[in-house]
Amino acid sequence: MGERLSIKTERDEQQLFNSRAIVAGLIVLFALGGIMTRLYFLQIKEHAAYTELSKQNYQKHIPRAPTRGQIYDRNGVRLADNHAQYVLEVVWDSVPDQNGDGKKRWNDMQLMLDRLTKIVPLSEKDLRVFGQQVNRRSRYQPTPLKENMTEQEMAMFAVNKSRFPGVNLERRMQRYYPLGTVASHVIGYVGRIDDRDLERLDKSNYAGTSHIGKIGVEAAHEGRLHGQAGYDLAEVDAHGRHQDMIERKEAVGGQDLILGLDINLQLKAEALLKGERGAVVAIDPRNGEVLAMASVPTFDPNLFVDGISSKVYSELRDDPDRPLYNRALQGAYPPGSTVKPMNTLAGLYEKVIWPGKTVYDPGFFQIPGHKHRYRCWKKSGHGGVSMDYAIAQSCDTFFYDMAYRMGVDKFSGYMSLFGFGKKTGVDLTSESDGLMPTPEWKQRRYKQVWYPGDTVNIGIGQGYWLATPIQLAHATASVAMRGKRIRPHVLRAVRTAKNKPEQILEPEVIAQIPARDQRHWEMVVQGMVHVVHASYGTAKRIGVGAPYTIAGKTGTAQVFGIAQNARYDASRLAKRLHDHALFVGFAPADNPQIAVSVIVENGGGGSSTAAPIARRVMDAYLLKKYDDEEPSEEKGEVEPADIVPRVEGAEE
Amino acid sequence: MISGLLPASLLKMLQRVDLVLLAALSLLVFMGLVTLYSAADTEISTVYRQGIHFVIGLVLMLLFSQVEGKTLRQFAIWLYGIGIVLLILVLMVGVVKKGAQRWLYVGIDIQPAEMMKLAVPMMVAYYFSEKPLPPRFLDILVALILVAIPMVLIMKQPDLGTSLLIALSGLFVIYLAGMSWWLIGGSIAVIAVAAPLMFNYGMHEYQRQRILTLLDPESDLLGTGYHIYQSKIAIGSGGIYGKGWLHGDQSHLDFLPERHTDFIFAVFGEEFGFLGNLLLLGLYIFIIWRGLYIASKGADTFSRLLAGSLSLTFFIYLIVNTGMVSGVLPVVGAPLPLVSYGGTAVVTLMSAFGIIMGMKKRKRIYQTDE
């Protein structure tokens, strides 16, 4: 065997090679058959899936942001608008080689910017922000270089544009509030979408949107204002460069909103509060439309649109007068005597009082068996007090007695029917609940039992009771409507397109407040009319010369407690410690068209400070007297007439 | 007189060229240039340059086809010996680029591993041409050592891909020489056991990573997996008929990396579809078969073994590239032979086909003519 193998024969070797070559050829066939099988799976079996992946690769939805709806007042005055803003943008990849080294480096960008700044001045900040952003983006995507281009800058750039390939002027829509600080708490503002917004919004609809309503109508009606985003389906390459447009879906602009706000009335209210801290809320009681909602001081919402600087923001935030705070919705104040008409209705409903009932006021009230005196504001006492006189004179003793006999449960229960202690549900953001105290609440909050004295205090709108100006206006409007509660709202109508008619929104009736006898409403309203128009009314001065009947109620809310026998000496107290002045009312009393609540923080007495403001708001609205310049001679002067001192820790 | 002489000698030279193989190669190169035009975003200069590479390759093919087996075999020992010396020099005084020591500086940087692609099969074929076939175990062992020496030297550089290709070209000679099937089966079994050990202890991290990425390319979409992912999308989205020439979205929108070199097969697959791929692979099979056929018509054992080995090495290039691009083999950075853009590869491969052609037995008339 071995011998035979050792002999080299050409024929055998040829045959051996041939057989090996054939086997090798078959292996080649087999292996490439394997590759073809693989290709069969990729190209035929899974073709659809890969086609989809390929589309995902090169087709890109470029969102088209809808135009945000505009906001108008009831007269058609524009409150929020969109302005074109021009931004200078740079696409790095399109910036040519500047220094002739054949390469495109940062150095070339720098040289280009140096040339550009001679034509359009670029600030240190522009360059810094641009430098940070340009490195984070694709070289093929535009990066903003300078925002808010002026007419002159745009013209200068346009003339020299050919010298700056890769630099483009882009138009962007920016929110603008033409009236500045006016009604800023109601209108609110938009700001850049942040992480918190991202969590709750529909990302596909906001893909091209940079701003979102942050507060006020802008936030509360974001859904209506924003509109439906469209898109361009474009072909893009691996670097995100756009090649061709495949399909376009136009965006549908947001709805225009027409507010119930009467901007003239709003201006008047804000002017009346000028220099003070306070709020005025005016509601049309017939349909719940908010006619004016002033919170003073205000701020300029335009500051927030493009990102407020932290310095300006901290100035606003740390301002002791708190301009960012919407007093009309967020401010919870003791309602004081303004709620006495509602208290009266509670007493009538719970049969603690009745139309002919009188209470003797010696100048104070005492819980039977206790020594402590709850003082009436009138030290000498009112003597025998009827229901009507109690309202008109704001007799504390009458209401101390009534609340005491009613008990807290019934009292709070009935007051809740007016909406106290709960948000009114007005279509604005950050409304406060206020507080309608109950024994359960006190137990929960302070781990203390409810004392009878607590009931006595809330009988005159003090103690733990807190109400917001909108709650007071709403409750007053409900009295004006004889118990019909209609939800206050700022959005009066919407318009889906410029050429379409307005659709007026239906007012929402919340409830009918029950009364033992419908005539009780008229009696209470009568008492309120006497506040203004009777010779013994606490606000009789504002009734002078009124061509219509006002039903109102003054109130003074204590800021701090004074000792049992101390005298309240307004002139000697710091302004911050002065009482809050309040007034609620509606007019005309027999055909109510406007319900108003006024609060002036540390304004002193309700009759002297708040009531005149209410009168002039009513004049403005009912008589269209928007621009009378009566000197406010009553202001600053504190009348002891309506002061209701309360003693802290009265129960000892 | 001279003007009359030249065409005559050229005609004589052309007789040595296998026209069938040349036609198939030309068709392949033409398909390559068409695909390249698309892959290079219709930039004609790239196609033009590749055309020049092909023409240079043709000239070298013509020249190499004149060399007979008995002439070439005399150079086998010298070429191999010099190659080994150069490889050792590379490891001692070689030029380091990109973390690998693969080059020698002799005025220009040369890569001795490249010449071993020819020297190793020549050396093994030479060795077996002296021995009785089928080879005895001892001869196989010697042949294996002849293969192992350059392989290890190249692996040290490190250049795993080239060392494996060179080893394979040598192993093909051993196989074609008639190594017994039992031994082949046993070796495969040994490799199957050794491979996992090799993976764990004999590989560089980047090589391991390539294999791991192959097993789960989706795991590293932004890194190594991206190439495979995008090329699979390109091929898969091509479907049966393809998206049409110049209409591959994947390649024209820049999603496909290395598309005029290593991943040109994906461009072809996307634009010409499954049917195009059948045609292309069919053409490759034809070329390899023709190479093996010419080998079987070799003048002597050395000629047959060398031509057969070179044909099969061409097949390896093909399978490594198509396997990589279609996502069944690791990404090793190998071009699609004669289609991918690249001068060196085209010129080398055309020369190799010239050598294959030269191995064919001379016709009697031609020999008497001499």
Side-chain angles (χ1 to χ4, degrees):
Chain A
M1 286 294 274
E3 203 180 336
R4 209 184 69 189
L5 276 174
S6 65
I7 299 160
K8 269 183 83 75
T9 62
E10 172 63 19
R11 226 183 95 234
D12 286 352
E13 289 195 12
Q14 174 77 56
Q15 268 179 4
L16 179 62
F17 180 87
N18 285 357
S19 68
R20 284 300 164 110
I22 288 168
V23 172
L26 291 175
I27 290 171
V28 167
L29 207 57
F30 181 77
L32 290 177
I35 295 290
M36 281 185 199
T37 310
R38 171 68 173 170
L39 293 173
Y40 167 78
F41 276 99
L42 289 177
Q43 299 193 292
I44 295 173
K45 284 215 81 159
E46 293 161 16
H47 171 59
Y50 283 109
T51 301
E52 189 50 43
L53 285 173
S54 165
K55 274 189 189 160
Q56 282 174 18
N57 254 349
Y58 74 84
Q59 293 189 350
K60 193 176 155 202
H61 284 265
I62 299 140
R64 292 174 65 80
T67 308
R68 196 172 175 86
Q70 292 167 328
I71 303 176
Y72 299 88
D73 92 327
R74 65 188 304 127
N75 312 310
V77 176
R78 202 166 293 173
L79 306 179
D81 199 357
N82 305 307
H83 264 203
Q85 201 236 106
Y86 291 86
V87 184
L88 209 54
E89 293 181 341
V90 182
V91 179
W92 189 353
D93 191 61
S94 307
V95 175
D97 174 27
Q98 307 278 320
N99 50 13
D101 62 357
K103 293 188 183 99
K104 291 198 277 183
R105 296 252 170 80
W106 176 245
N107 193 19
D108 298 308
M109 176 74 88
Q110 212 110 57
L111 289 168
M112 187 278 287
L113 293 175
D114 288 348
R115 285 198 296 125
L116 184 60
T117 195
K118 287 175 191 132
I119 291 162
V120 179
L122 302 167
S123 73
E124 196 99 323
K125 190 186 163 214
D126 290 337
L127 291 169
R128 195 185 63 237
V129 172
F130 175 74
Q132 289 163 358
Q133 288 196 315
V134 79
N135 286 311
R136 266 189 256 132
R137 291 179 197 222
S138 157
R139 290 174 73 114
Y140 310 104
Q141 302 286 344
T143 307
L145 173 62
K146 184 180 174 66
E147 300 192 329
N148 286 314
M149 293 278 286
T150 64
E151 294 278 339
Q152 198 197 345
E153 286 165 344
M154 287 195 286
M156 281 302 284
F157 177 73
V159 172
N160 292 283
K161 185 169 187 336
S162 59
R163 291 173 53 209
F164 297 97
V167 185
N168 302 302
L169 203 55
E170 288 294 326
R171 184 169 181 265
R172 276 198 214 151
M173 295 311 275
Q174 193 182 40
R175 202 61 159 171
Y176 175 66
Y177 303 100
L179 299 185
T181 62
V182 179
S184 53
H185 292 105
V186 180
I187 302 164
Y189 52 80
V190 297
R192 289 193 191 283
I193 294 174
D194 61 28
D195 293 344
R196 271 199 3 248
D197 300 321
L198 276 175
E199 276 169 30
R200 59 187 169 81
L201 52 76
D202 170 8
K203 287 193 182 62
S204 65
N205 200 24
Y206 277 80
T209 307
S210 56
H211 287 66
I212 191 168
K214 295 289 185 181
I215 65 160
V217 169
E218 291 274 30
H221 293 291
E222 175 65 29
R224 290 179 186 276
L225 287 164
H226 181 262
Q228 277 296 318
Y231 59 81
D232 282 348
L233 187 59
E235 198 177 278
V236 293
D237 69 9
H239 313 286
R241 270 182 293 205
H242 298 182
Q243 307 289 322
D244 289 307
M245 170 98 75
I246 301 166
E247 186 192 326
R248 166 172 287 185
K249 182 175 173 264
E250 292 291 349
V252 180
Q255 299 176 359
D256 285 343
L257 306 187
I258 295 107
L259 305 188
L261 224 54
D262 177 344
I263 203 65
N264 293 319
L265 190 65
Q266 178 78 21
L267 280 163
K268 183 76 195 172
E270 288 183 14
L272 289 167
L273 287 170
K274 197 168 162 52
E276 302 283 353
R277 283 164 287 110
V280 170
V281 177
I283 293 177
D284 185 334
R286 295 164 298 181
N287 54 23
E289 283 172 12
V290 174
L291 302 169
M293 183 186 284
S295 174
V296 173
T298 71
F299 62 93
D300 182 357
N302 291 305
L303 291 172
F304 289 84
V305 175
D306 231 11
I308 188 166
S309 78
S310 58
K311 182 170 164 283
V312 177
Y313 181 69
S314 50
E315 270 172 24
L316 281 171
R317 189 194 51 204
D318 301 335
D319 186 328
D321 291 342
R322 304 177 72 190
L324 296 178
Y325 177 67
N326 184 358
R327 292 176 160 78
L329 289 186
Q330 292 170 282
Y333 304 91
S337 304
T338 57
V339 289
K340 281 176 181 166
M342 298 83 175
N343 296 5
T344 308
L345 283 159
L348 287 166
Y349 184 78
E350 299 294 351
K351 295 182 175 166
V352 183
I353 56 166
W354 49 91
K357 156 110 181 167
T358 55
V359 170
Y360 180 74
D361 170 24
F364 58 85
F365 168 78
Q366 277 178 310
I367 296 173
H370 286 71
K371 278 194 185 146
H372 182 82
R373 288 179 173 187
Y374 295 87
R375 297 197 303 185
C376 184
W377 63 266
K378 192 169 180 184
K379 250 192 136 184
S380 56
H382 289 95
V385 178
S386 70
M387 192 174 85
D388 176 75
Y389 192 76
I391 295 173
Q393 260 290 298
S394 200
C395 172
D396 292 329
T397 305
F398 182 91
F399 290 99
Y400 286 141
D401 173 71
M402 189 190 79
Y404 174 72
R405 284 189 291 117
M406 204 186 313
V408 63
D409 292 339
K410 285 176 179 171
F411 187 89
S412 289
Y414 195 82
M415 283 305 140
S416 303
L417 299 178
F418 279 94
F420 289 111
K422 257 173 74 182
K423 293 178 176 64
T424 62
V426 66
D427 48 342
L428 289 171
T429 52
S430 56
E431 186 182 0
S432 159
D433 276 322
L435 177 64
M436 191 68 237
T438 61
E440 295 75 37
W441 166 82
K442 193 183 178 193
Q443 186 61 47
R444 216 169 43 240
R445 176 76 177 74
Y446 291 111
K447 306 268 180 289
Q448 279 176 17
V449 295
W450 184 268
Y451 297 109
D454 291 333
T455 312
V456 175
N457 278 330
I458 63 172
I460 58 159
Q462 297 277 356
Y464 299 111
W465 191 352
L466 298 173
T468 61
I470 182 100
Q471 280 175 341
L472 288 175
H474 171 56
T476 306
S478 303
V479 173
M481 293 302 288
R482 276 64 174 170
K484 189 176 174 188
R485 275 183 70 197
I486 301 170
R487 192 175 312 282
H489 56 277
V490 293
L491 181 58
R492 173 183 149 82
V494 296
R495 196 164 51 204
T496 51
K498 287 274 171 283
N499 48 1
K500 292 242 178 82
E502 303 178 3
Q503 303 160 23
I504 296 190
L505 303 180
E506 276 297 307
E508 182 199 345
V509 177
I510 304 171
Q512 173 67 42
I513 300 163
R516 283 286 163 209
D517 186 330
Q518 283 304 308
R519 284 173 300 178
H520 290 169
W521 290 106
E522 304 307 330
M523 293 171 190
V524 168
V525 170
Q526 195 57 44
M528 291 174 77
V529 170
H530 288 159
V531 169
V532 180
H533 298 285
S535 59
Y536 50 88
T538 53
K540 61 174 185 267
R541 277 193 298 172
I542 71 161
V544 176
Y548 51 87
T549 335
I550 300 169
K553 185 68 195 79
T554 55
T556 302
Q558 243 190 350
V559 173
F560 84 120
I562 54 171
Q564 175 96 49
N565 298 308
R567 272 188 57 86
Y568 181 88
D569 187 352
S571 59
R572 283 178 53 199
L573 281 171
K575 174 85 172 164
R576 290 267 158 189
L577 301 174
H578 286 193
D579 293 334
H580 295 330
L582 294 100
F583 185 85
V584 300
F586 59 89
D590 48 354
N591 173 28
Q593 289 169 35
I594 182 170
V596 179
S597 72
V598 177
I599 176 154
V600 180
E601 288 183 16
N602 315 117
S607 59
S608 58
T609 311
I613 293 175
R615 163 73 197 276
R616 287 168 70 184
V617 166
M618 289 171 177
D619 276 359
Y621 186 68
L622 297 172
L623 310 177
K624 307 294 165 207
K625 276 172 68 180
Y626 291 118
D627 39 31
D628 66 317
E629 283 300 328
E630 279 178 46
S632 48
E633 77 285 345
E634 299 98 335
K635 269 196 187 165
E637 166 194 326
V638 181
E639 269 194 313
D642 201 35
I643 291 167
V644 187
R646 179 177 64 92
V647 178
E648 293 273 298
E651 283 70 37
E652 34 268 345
Chain B
M1 278 290 118
I2 291 171
S3 60
L5 257 168
L6 261 176
S9 64
L10 191 64
L11 207 70
K12 221 162 145 193
M13 284 174 85
L14 279 174
Q15 281 175 340
R16 298 295 305 151
V17 172
D18 185 88
L19 291 176
V20 177
L21 184 55
L22 179 60
L25 290 173
S26 302
L27 180 59
L28 180 64
V29 169
F30 173 72
M31 286 167 78
L33 292 177
V34 167
T35 313
L36 187 61
Y37 181 69
S38 178
D41 290 327
T42 71
E43 208 176 288
I44 195 70
S45 65
T46 310
V47 179
Y48 179 72
R49 280 200 302 275
Q50 180 77 342
I52 301 279
H53 298 150
F54 179 56
V55 170
I56 296 170
L58 271 181
V59 172
L60 284 169
M61 186 183 83
L62 187 64
L63 292 177
F64 275 109
S65 67
Q66 309 306 311
V67 184
E68 282 186 75
K70 61 185 175 193
T71 316
L72 202 57
R73 103 188 252 276
Q74 294 165 9
F75 293 99
I77 294 180
W78 290 106
L79 208 59
Y80 181 81
I82 292 167
I84 295 292
V85 171
L86 291 178
L87 283 177
I88 293 168
L89 282 175
V90 164
L91 290 181
M92 287 160 56
V93 295
V95 179
V96 179
K97 286 184 197 167
K98 292 180 189 167
Q101 194 164 344
R102 295 175 187 169
W103 296 266
L104 269 185
Y105 183 74
V106 286
I108 52 160
D109 287 340
I110 60 158
Q111 199 177 348
E114 286 299 314
M115 70 184 271
M116 294 310 272
K117 283 177 179 173
L118 186 59
V120 168
M122 270 172 71
M123 183 62 212
V124 180
Y126 168 77
Y127 180 74
F128 282 127
S129 70
E130 300 282 291
K131 305 289 174 190
L133 296 182
R136 289 167 302 184
F137 183 71
L138 195 68
D139 292 333
I140 290 174
L141 219 56
V142 173
L144 284 175
I145 290 166
L146 289 174
V147 173
I149 293 167
M151 178 181 158
V152 169
L153 288 174
I154 295 167
M155 215 181 257
K156 287 255 175 203
Q157 291 179 353
D159 190 349
L160 185 66
T162 308
S163 81
L164 286 177
L165 272 173
I166 286 168
L168 273 173
S169 67
L171 291 174
F172 286 143
V173 178
I174 300 175
Y175 158 80
L176 290 169
M179 178 183 185
S180 93
W181 289 110
W182 289 109
L183 270 178
I184 293 172
S187 309
I188 290 172
V190 170
I191 290 166
V193 173
L197 296 173
M198 184 75 185
F199 179 81
N200 282 323
Y201 305 108
M203 282 188 174
H204 282 267
E205 184 53 38
Y206 79 99
Q207 291 161 333
R208 256 197 294 256
Q209 201 52 50
R210 278 175 176 180
I211 291 169
L212 289 175
T213 301
L214 169 86
L215 298 176
D216 185 16
E218 255 78 340
S219 68
D220 186 20
L221 271 188
L222 293 175
T224 38
Y226 182 79
H227 289 48
I228 293 176
Y229 180 72
Q230 294 296 353
S231 78
K232 273 166 68 183
I233 291 175
I235 295 172
S237 62
I240 299 181
Y241 304 105
K243 296 177 183 171
W245 187 46
L246 303 178
H247 286 94
D249 312 297
Q250 283 287 107
S251 35
H252 289 284
L253 295 174
D254 234 3
F255 290 101
L256 202 55
E258 311 284 341
R259 60 182 179 281
H260 62 288
T261 55
D262 289 357
F263 281 83
I264 199 164
F265 184 57
V267 177
F268 185 86
E270 182 180 25
E271 299 194 348
F272 300 105
F274 185 68
L275 293 180
N277 280 333
L278 281 186
L279 182 71
L280 184 69
L281 292 181
L283 189 57
Y284 272 114
I285 289 171
F286 181 81
I287 290 167
I288 294 160
W289 276 32
R290 186 69 190 174
L292 290 171
Y293 171 78
I294 294 169
S296 75
K297 300 288 175 202
D300 50 30
T301 301
F302 173 83
S303 302
R304 281 193 293 270
L305 292 181
L306 182 59
S309 169
L310 291 179
S311 300
L312 291 178
T313 307
F314 181 76
F315 158 70
I316 290 301
Y317 282 114
L318 174 67
I319 200 84
V320 164
N321 180 268
T322 54
M324 163 182 89
V325 174
S326 62
V328 288
L329 290 178
V331 178
V332 290
L336 183 64
L338 296 178
V339 173
S340 287
Y341 179 82
T344 315
V346 167
V347 169
T348 312
L349 287 167
M350 292 301 281
S351 305
F353 279 107
I355 290 171
I356 291 171
M357 290 170 183
M359 294 303 107
K360 203 171 163 185
K361 203 181 288 173
R362 258 57 172 174
K363 279 175 191 155
R364 207 171 302 251
I365 16 162
Y366 192 60
Q367 282 174 332
T368 51
D369 213 37
E370 228 160 339

